[in-house]
Amino acid sequence: MYSEKVMEHFMNPRNVGEIENADGVGQVGNPKCGDIMKMYLKIEDGIIVDVKFKTFGCGSAIATSSMATEMIMGKTIDEALSLTNRAVADALDGLPPVKMHCSVLAEQAVKSAIYDYAQKN
Amino acid sequence: MYSEKVMEHFMNPRNVGEIENADGVGQVGNPKCGDIMKMYLKIEDGIIVDVKFKTFGCGSAIATSSMATEMIMGKTIDEALSLTNRAVADALDGLPPVKMHCSVLAEQAVKSAIYDYAQKN
Ligand code: FES
């Protein structure tokens, strides 16, 4: 049911945790399942230099968030804003259709954290 | 949002894994979110002597399954069959209403594993 990459990121998620004094913090909820995701960004000169996430969400949410943090690390804000949940799912060699709603959590958390950063600056 | 007991079982889930040559195996899916749960039972003389579970589900699914396995360990089949998701949630000092559907997974997986055992015997 799940690709090897999904299982690998689920078992060994990257960038789990919090960032103290983060420049942007996003928190989003998934209306489909009630799960919550929190995303922390450290931004210097318009570049995402660190990112961490925390979730109580399912394995697919963990795997997509882990992959999403890897995909935006070192990128500009504009590049991070253009990341779609579809691109993250593709990078994981796909998700079961019934689990695509979980990947939305990661995309929205990134956007929400950048929005929080923009409001503060 | 989550009780201390929920967080504790989420961080340190009990009885995660598989049982080889289990006497009963149940697998159920959650129509609300697409998550899957697998439950393994070892039964001797009508008593549940071992139980393990595996899931790709969210933190609430992990916590309720962990608690459910503790509640049925050493119990008779009839006692295990009468376990409700409400009783498991209560034992965890409650779940947010939006996450009650996750606790259904644990109850159904126990019943499904017992049904599998009954069919084989
Ligand atoms: S089921 Fe809630 S994030 Fe996947």
Side-chain angles (χ1 to χ4, degrees), chain A residues 1-120:
Chain A
M1 179 169 177
Y2 294 103
S3 77
E4 268 176 46
K5 279 193 195 166
V6 171
M7 290 306 297
E8 208 275 304
H9 276 266
F10 170 57
M11 302 297 225
N12 309 295
R14 282 44 145 195
N15 306 310
V16 172
E18 296 176 37
I19 297 177
E20 271 189 66
N21 303 315
D23 298 303
V25 180
Q27 175 162 338
V28 292
N30 194 324
K32 283 250 187 184
C33 61
D35 283 332
I36 279 172
M37 166 94 49
K38 231 169 156 173
M39 183 85 57
Y40 304 81
L41 297 178
K42 192 95 208 141
I43 297 175
E44 278 170 22
D45 300 326
I47 304 286
I48 294 167
V49 294
D50 199 11
V51 44
K52 293 224 183 303
F53 77 96
K54 275 181 109 172
T55 187
F56 212 64
C58 71
S60 299
I62 292 168
T64 48
S65 308
S66 169
M67 177 58 89
T69 58
E70 288 204 323
M71 290 171 86
I72 65 170
M73 188 84 78
K75 297 288 164 64
T76 66
I77 290 172
D78 278 350
E79 286 169 330
L81 275 176
S82 70
L83 185 76
T84 63
N85 70 310
R86 172 64 59 184
V88 177
D90 284 349
L92 287 168
D93 294 334
L95 276 176
V98 72
K99 299 305 287 176
M100 278 303 287
H101 73 269
C102 307
S103 66
V104 176
L105 216 46
E107 178 192 328
Q108 289 180 336
V110 170
K111 291 190 162 66
S112 163
I114 292 174
Y115 184 78
D116 178 56
Y117 167 77
Q119 278 194 316
K120 287 178 183 158

